[in-house]
Coordinates of all heavy atoms in Angstrom, one line a residue:
G1 N 14.0 3.3 1.3 CA 14.2 3.1 2.7 C 13.1 3.7 3.5 O 13.1 3.5 4.8
S2 N 12.2 4.4 2.9 CA 11.1 5.1 3.6 C 9.8 4.8 3.0 O 9.7 4.9 1.8 CB 11.4 6.6 3.7 OG 10.2 7.3 4.1
T3 N 8.8 4.5 3.8 CA 7.4 4.4 3.3 C 6.5 5.2 4.3 O 6.9 5.3 5.5 CB 6.9 3.0 3.2 OG1 7.0 2.3 4.4 CG2 7.6 2.2 2.1
N4 N 5.4 5.7 3.8 CA 4.5 6.4 4.7 C 3.1 6.1 4.2 O 2.8 5.8 3.0 CB 4.7 7.9 4.7 CG 5.6 8.3 5.9 OD1 5.5 7.9 7.0 ND2 6.6 9.2 5.6
Y5 N 2.1 6.2 5.2 CA 0.7 5.8 4.9 C -0.2 6.8 5.6 O 0.1 7.3 6.7 CB 0.4 4.4 5.3 CG 1.3 3.4 4.7 CD1 2.5 3.0 5.3 CD2 1.0 2.7 3.5 CE1 3.4 2.1 4.8 CE2 1.8 1.8 3.0 CZ 3.0 1.5 3.6 OH 3.8 0.5 3.0
R6 N -1.3 7.0 5.0 CA -2.4 7.8 5.7 C -2.9 6.9 6.8 O -2.9 5.7 6.7 CB -3.5 8.3 4.8 CG -4.4 7.3 4.2 CD -5.5 7.9 3.3 NE -6.3 8.8 4.0 CZ -6.3 10.1 3.9 NH1 -5.4 10.7 3.1 NH2 -7.1 10.9 4.6
D7 N -3.4 7.5 7.9 CA -3.8 6.8 9.0 C -4.8 5.7 8.7 O -4.8 4.6 9.3 CB -4.3 7.7 10.1 CG -3.2 8.5 10.8 OD1 -2.0 8.1 10.6 OD2 -3.5 9.5 11.5
S8 N -5.8 6.0 7.9 CA -6.9 5.1 7.7 C -6.5 3.8 6.9 O -7.3 2.9 6.9 CB -8.0 5.8 6.9 OG -7.5 6.2 5.6
V9 N -5.3 3.8 6.4 CA -4.9 2.6 5.6 C -3.7 1.9 6.3 O -3.3 0.8 5.9 CB -4.5 2.9 4.2 CG1 -5.7 3.6 3.5 CG2 -3.2 3.6 4.0
K10 N -3.2 2.5 7.4 CA -2.0 1.8 8.1 C -2.4 0.5 8.6 O -3.5 0.3 9.2 CB -1.6 2.7 9.2 CG -0.8 3.9 8.8 CD -0.4 4.8 10.0 CE 0.4 6.0 9.6 NZ 0.8 6.9 10.7
G11 N -1.6 -0.5 8.4 CA -1.8 -1.9 8.8 C -2.6 -2.7 7.8 O -2.7 -3.9 7.9
R12 N -3.2 -2.0 6.8 CA -4.0 -2.7 5.7 C -3.3 -2.6 4.4 O -3.4 -3.5 3.6 CB -5.4 -2.1 5.6 CG -6.2 -2.2 6.9 CD -7.6 -1.8 6.7 NE -7.8 -0.4 6.2 CZ -8.4 0.0 5.1 NH1 -8.9 -1.0 4.3 NH2 -8.5 1.2 4.8
F13 N -2.7 -1.5 4.1 CA -2.0 -1.2 2.8 C -0.5 -1.3 2.9 O 0.0 -0.8 4.0 CB -2.4 0.1 2.2 CG -3.8 0.3 1.8 CD1 -4.8 -0.7 2.1 CD2 -4.2 1.4 1.0 CE1 -6.1 -0.5 1.6 CE2 -5.5 1.5 0.6 CZ -6.5 0.6 0.9
T14 N 0.2 -1.8 1.9 CA 1.6 -1.8 1.9 C 2.1 -1.4 0.5 O 1.6 -2.0 -0.5 CB 2.2 -3.2 2.2 OG1 1.7 -3.6 3.5 CG2 3.7 -3.2 2.2
T15 N 3.0 -0.5 0.4 CA 3.6 -0.2 -0.9 C 5.0 -0.7 -0.9 O 5.8 -0.7 0.1 CB 3.6 1.4 -1.1 OG1 4.0 1.6 -2.5 CG2 4.5 2.1 -0.2
S16 N 5.4 -1.2 -2.1 CA 6.7 -1.8 -2.3 C 7.1 -1.6 -3.7 O 6.3 -1.0 -4.5 CB 6.7 -3.3 -1.9 OG 5.8 -4.0 -2.8
R17 N 8.3 -2.0 -4.1 CA 8.7 -1.8 -5.5 C 9.6 -3.0 -5.9 O 10.3 -3.6 -5.1 CB 9.4 -0.5 -5.7 CG 10.8 -0.4 -5.0 CD 11.4 1.0 -5.1 NE 12.8 1.0 -4.7 CZ 13.5 2.1 -4.6 NH1 13.0 3.3 -4.9 NH2 14.8 2.0 -4.2
D18 N 9.7 -3.1 -7.2 CA 10.6 -4.1 -7.8 C 11.4 -3.2 -8.9 O 10.9 -2.9 -9.9 CB 9.9 -5.2 -8.5 CG 10.8 -6.3 -9.1 OD1 11.9 -6.0 -9.5 OD2 10.3 -7.4 -9.3
T19 N 12.6 -2.9 -8.5 CA 13.4 -2.0 -9.4 C 13.8 -2.7 -10.7 O 13.9 -2.0 -11.8 CB 14.7 -1.5 -8.7 OG1 15.4 -2.6 -8.3 CG2 14.3 -0.6 -7.6
A20 N 13.9 -4.0 -10.7 CA 14.2 -4.8 -11.9 C 13.0 -4.6 -12.9 O 13.2 -4.6 -14.1 CB 14.4 -6.2 -11.6
K21 N 11.8 -4.5 -12.4 CA 10.6 -4.4 -13.3 C 10.2 -2.9 -13.4 O 9.2 -2.6 -14.1 CB 9.5 -5.2 -12.7 CG 9.7 -6.7 -12.7 CD 8.5 -7.5 -12.2 CE 8.8 -9.0 -12.3 NZ 7.6 -9.8 -11.7
N22 N 10.9 -2.1 -12.7 CA 10.6 -0.6 -12.7 C 9.1 -0.4 -12.3 O 8.5 0.4 -13.0 CB 10.9 0.0 -14.1 CG 11.4 1.4 -13.9 OD1 11.9 1.9 -12.9 ND2 11.2 2.2 -15.0
T23 N 8.7 -1.1 -11.3 CA 7.3 -1.1 -10.9 C 7.2 -0.9 -9.4 O 7.9 -1.5 -8.7 CB 6.6 -2.4 -11.4 OG1 6.7 -2.5 -12.8 CG2 5.2 -2.4 -11.0
V24 N 6.2 -0.1 -9.1 CA 5.8 0.1 -7.7 C 4.4 -0.6 -7.4 O 3.5 -0.5 -8.3 CB 5.8 1.5 -7.3 CG1 5.3 1.8 -5.9 CG2 7.2 2.1 -7.4
Y25 N 4.2 -1.2 -6.3 CA 3.0 -1.9 -6.0 C 2.3 -1.2 -4.8 O 2.9 -0.7 -3.9 CB 3.3 -3.3 -5.7 CG 4.0 -4.1 -6.8 CD1 5.4 -4.3 -6.7 CD2 3.3 -4.5 -7.9 CE1 6.0 -4.9 -7.8 CE2 4.0 -5.2 -8.9 CZ 5.3 -5.4 -8.9 OH 6.0 -6.0 -9.9
L26 N 1.0 -1.4 -4.7 CA 0.2 -1.1 -3.6 C -0.7 -2.3 -3.3 O -1.6 -2.6 -4.0 CB -0.7 0.2 -3.8 CG -1.5 0.6 -2.6 CD1 -0.5 1.2 -1.5 CD2 -2.5 1.7 -3.0
E27 N -0.3 -3.0 -2.2 CA -1.0 -4.1 -1.8 C -2.1 -3.7 -0.8 O -1.8 -3.0 0.2 CB -0.1 -5.1 -1.1 CG -0.7 -6.4 -0.6 CD -1.0 -7.4 -1.8 OE1 -0.1 -7.4 -2.7 OE2 -1.9 -8.1 -1.7
M28 N -3.3 -4.0 -1.1 CA -4.5 -3.5 -0.3 C -5.2 -4.7 0.3 O -5.7 -5.5 -0.5 CB -5.4 -2.6 -1.1 CG -4.7 -1.4 -1.8 SD -5.8 -0.3 -2.7 CE -6.4 -1.4 -4.0
N29 N -5.2 -4.8 1.6 CA -5.9 -5.9 2.3 C -7.0 -5.3 3.2 O -7.0 -4.1 3.5 CB -4.9 -6.6 3.1 CG -3.8 -7.3 2.3 OD1 -4.1 -7.9 1.3 ND2 -2.5 -7.1 2.7
R30 N -7.9 -6.2 3.5 CA -9.1 -5.9 4.4 C -9.7 -4.6 3.9 O -10.0 -3.6 4.6 CB -8.6 -5.7 5.8 CG -8.2 -7.0 6.5 CD -7.8 -6.8 7.9 NE -6.5 -6.3 8.1 CZ -6.1 -5.4 8.9 NH1 -7.0 -4.8 9.7 NH2 -4.9 -5.0 9.0
L31 N -10.1 -4.6 2.6 CA -10.6 -3.4 2.0 C -12.0 -3.1 2.5 O -12.8 -4.0 2.9 CB -10.7 -3.6 0.5 CG -9.4 -3.4 -0.2 CD1 -9.4 -4.1 -1.6 CD2 -9.0 -2.0 -0.4
K32 N -12.3 -1.8 2.6 CA -13.6 -1.3 3.1 C -14.3 -0.6 2.0 O -13.6 0.0 1.1 CB -13.3 -0.4 4.3 CG -12.5 -1.0 5.4 CD -12.2 0.0 6.5 CE -11.4 -0.6 7.6 NZ -11.1 0.4 8.7
P33 N -15.6 -0.4 2.1 CA -16.3 0.4 1.1 C -15.8 1.8 1.0 O -15.8 2.3 -0.2 CB -17.8 0.4 1.6 CG -17.9 -0.9 2.4 CD -16.5 -1.1 3.0
E34 N -15.3 2.4 2.0 CA -14.7 3.7 2.0 C -13.4 3.8 1.3 O -12.9 4.9 1.0 CB -14.6 4.3 3.4 CG -13.9 3.5 4.4 CD -14.8 2.6 5.2 OE1 -15.8 2.1 4.7 OE2 -14.6 2.6 6.5
D35 N -12.8 2.7 0.9 CA -11.6 2.7 0.1 C -12.0 2.8 -1.4 O -11.0 3.0 -2.3 CB -10.8 1.4 0.2 CG -10.3 1.2 1.6 OD1 -9.8 2.2 2.2 OD2 -10.3 0.1 2.2

């Protein structure tokens, strides 16, 4: 029910999970060299 992000990735990264697969994901969009 809770997610948090560092300021520099807010709006670009999203973390989610699939409990059936026992897996957590980090979707990273609009990537920058500093990532």
Side-chain angles (χ1 to χ4, degrees):
S2 166
T3 56
N4 266 316
Y5 303 89
R6 70 179 296 107
D7 286 346
S8 63
V9 308
K10 284 180 181 177
R12 299 189 297 123
F13 290 12
T14 303
T15 189
S16 62
R17 71 184 188 185
D18 184 335
T19 54
K21 295 182 178 179
N22 213 27
T23 299
V24 174
Y25 303 100
L26 184 67
E27 184 77 33
M28 305 185 294
N29 299 311
R30 291 184 280 135
L31 283 160
K32 304 176 181 180
E34 51 263 44
D35 295 318

